[in-house]
Amino acid sequence: MSATNPLPPTPCVVDTVVLAMFVDAGRPDLLQALAGGLVFLTPTVLDPAQLPPFAGPSLSEFGRGLYDAEQQLGDPLLARRAQRRTVFYGSAGMIWQPVALSVGEVRLARYLASPATRQAARVIDPTFRALRIDPGEAECAAVAINRGWRLWSDDQAIVTLVRTLYPSCVVERLCGLLVRGVSEGLIGCAAAAHLYNAVFKSELRLWSRLTLDCQDGNATCR
């Protein structure tokens, strides 16, 4: 019997929060390993037509964070952010790849960001309380929904919206990504707990009620 080649992993489209956490922490390698290949980025998250150094604020969310950091290089945290994000821009084709939205995906992104979509979510789930959906998250969700890709986001509003209206779309959040990384042997449990609790939450100011815990080498989000 001949061996069969495993199917390639489903592509993932990554929002700004998830991208920024891994890059600013100096772990784009782990981001790529979790993706099982390239991560895909939409123009609102990272615009490949605008490369650093920027003469002014970037149109993309990731680029704006880089530009803001460049204005405060006396702060060690922001200096590291500027350096790491600049290096990441140069890893196109190796770690990340831009994705252009189709006309239908642009329309879907606009719909996802509209009040009508939030009202539709409240009809299904009366506990849905988001007042707005940001453009970058809506754009990533539109690509994931339309193409059957995985959505990597840690934005509560878009995560809840997608899980309510498009339950077949696979959504992965930061803590869950690291738990999966531990189970797949991509990172040790203690290292994952440090990355999430000490680096993402404490150093990089990720807002989250979750804590990544280890027990007998197994990771859980609590």
Side-chain angles (χ1 to χ4, degrees):
M1 181 183 298
S2 60
T4 58
N5 293 324
L7 293 174
T10 304
C12 59
V13 58
V14 183
D15 81 353
T16 305
V17 171
V18 173
L19 177 66
M21 286 295 125
F22 280 96
V23 174
D24 293 353
R27 293 305 313 267
D29 59 319
L30 181 57
L31 183 79
Q32 182 185 25
L34 286 162
L38 297 174
V39 297
F40 289 87
L41 305 174
T42 64
T44 298
V45 173
L46 189 156
D47 187 349
Q50 288 190 308
L51 301 176
F54 303 119
S58 171
L59 295 178
S60 73
E61 296 171 351
F62 188 76
R64 282 198 296 274
L66 169 54
Y67 176 79
D68 291 344
E70 288 176 332
Q71 311 314 303
Q72 304 179 66
L73 295 179
D75 183 318
L77 176 64
L78 295 179
R80 286 195 301 274
R81 176 175 298 168
Q83 188 270 336
R84 288 169 175 172
R85 291 196 182 196
T86 299
V87 170
F88 184 79
Y89 267 89
S91 66
M94 295 177 287
I95 295 179
W96 65 277
Q97 182 169 312
V99 55
L101 276 69
S102 68
V103 172
E105 288 164 349
V106 171
R107 290 173 180 158
L108 179 55
R110 290 174 181 163
Y111 171 69
L112 292 171
S114 71
T117 316
R118 299 193 293 277
Q119 182 57 38
R122 292 185 189 104
V123 170
I124 298 172
D125 178 8
T127 66
F128 183 80
R129 292 288 181 266
L131 298 178
R132 68 190 299 266
I133 301 293
D134 290 329
E137 279 75 30
E139 200 174 72
C140 291
V143 170
I145 292 164
N146 184 60
R147 304 188 189 192
W149 289 6
R150 294 172 289 164
L151 172 63
W152 287 9
S153 176
D154 215 63
D155 179 81
Q156 181 67 31
I158 196 64
V159 167
T160 305
L161 182 75
V162 170
R163 286 176 172 170
T164 300
L165 298 180
Y166 304 91
S168 64
C169 181
V170 177
V171 180
E172 291 188 283
R173 304 190 67 163
L174 279 165
C175 193
L177 282 167
L178 292 179
V179 167
R180 178 164 67 79
V182 173
S183 69
E184 293 177 357
L186 301 175
I187 185 173
C189 195
H194 175 79
L195 184 60
Y196 188 79
N197 302 326
V199 180
F200 288 177
K201 291 180 62 177
S202 296
E203 181 180 329
L204 301 179
R205 307 293 179 86
L206 171 72
W207 189 92
S208 174
R209 292 192 177 99
L210 295 175
T211 298
L212 198 157
D213 290 335
C214 291
Q215 187 171 14
D216 300 324
N218 298 312
T220 57
C221 299
R222 300 186 186 278

